[in-house]
Amino acid sequence: MIRPIIRYGVDALHRPATPVADITPDIESLIDDMIQTMYAAPGIGLAATQVGVALRIFVVDISLGRNPADLLTFVNPEFVEREGMQLEEEGCLSLPGFNATVARPARAVVKGLNRDGSEHTVEGKGLLARAFQHEMDHLDGMVFVDRLRGLQKDLIVRRIKKLSRTGKW
Ligand SMILES: [Zn+2]
């Protein structure tokens, strides 16, 4: 089932998520829904907070569904290693129409549970490292705009507020 993706400004997106106690059938169907929702968007990653569920789960697929091995699910993820820095343009399904250059680690290793409850550790470089950091931020109630400073941030926030006021957000 495709779930609605909540946008910047909705409280649930800005609150940190809590760890998953058990991978129950409900959690499994949430993960299935998140994968479907990510592909339908389409996007390369989706965190549970973006569908209004305050649990520490994210899915990523930098191949957008072209390569089955690229689909990764993380339950209760944590960083094992992060290093380097990359500056690239980034967007978010919760902020359609907005992009900004965000500093992210060049390499990130994430450990967490798979959909089946087994543990896995995955190394991401480049785009995958960026996606890992972006989704981990979501689980802490952060979006890429929160990583921006000064004018760049003000401009996006102001434009979103204006869209909200006119019912276009
Ligand atoms: Zn996002």
Side-chain angles (χ1 to χ4, degrees):
M1 187 185 82
I2 294 169
R3 301 197 186 201
I5 296 173
I6 59 174
R7 291 187 176 189
Y8 185 92
V10 176
D11 281 353
L13 188 72
H14 304 281
R15 260 185 261 152
T18 54
V20 175
D22 233 329
I23 301 181
T24 58
D26 276 356
I27 296 292
E28 286 180 85
S29 61
L30 168 65
I31 293 168
D32 290 340
D33 290 353
M34 285 171 61
I35 292 167
Q36 259 191 61
T37 305
M38 171 178 71
Y39 286 147
I44 63 163
L46 189 77
T49 49
Q50 291 182 277
V51 292
V53 178
L55 289 172
R56 302 192 76 82
I57 304 169
F58 74 77
V59 294
V60 294
D61 182 350
I62 58 167
S63 81
L64 286 164
R66 280 186 286 267
N67 179 12
D70 283 340
L71 173 61
L72 300 169
T73 299
F74 283 98
V75 177
N76 301 338
E78 52 189 90
F79 285 116
V80 182
E81 283 173 53
R82 266 180 291 182
E83 60 175 11
M85 205 264 275
Q86 56 169 314
L87 278 170
E88 294 291 339
E89 184 116 314
E90 190 168 314
C92 178
L93 295 175
S94 294
L95 287 106
F98 291 94
N99 288 289
T101 302
V102 188
R104 298 293 193 187
R107 177 177 169 271
V109 181
V110 175
K111 180 178 91 174
L113 301 179
N114 234 318
R115 194 185 178 287
D116 65 4
S118 64
E119 198 180 273
H120 65 150
T121 302
V122 181
E123 178 191 46
K125 287 177 181 163
L127 181 59
L128 187 56
R130 167 171 297 279
F132 281 167
Q133 183 68 64
H134 181 111
E135 301 312 327
M136 290 291 268
D137 278 357
H138 273 307
L139 301 185
D140 294 328
M142 267 182 92
V143 291
F144 77 83
V145 176
D146 300 318
R147 294 259 182 203
L148 305 176
R149 260 171 266 171
L151 222 82
Q152 213 187 6
K153 181 175 181 165
D154 294 347
L155 199 71
I156 294 181
V157 171
R158 254 203 318 244
R159 282 172 62 200
I160 291 172
K161 278 191 184 143
K162 196 174 167 192
L163 287 170
S164 303
R165 272 200 306 273
T166 52
K168 288 176 187 135
W169 185 253

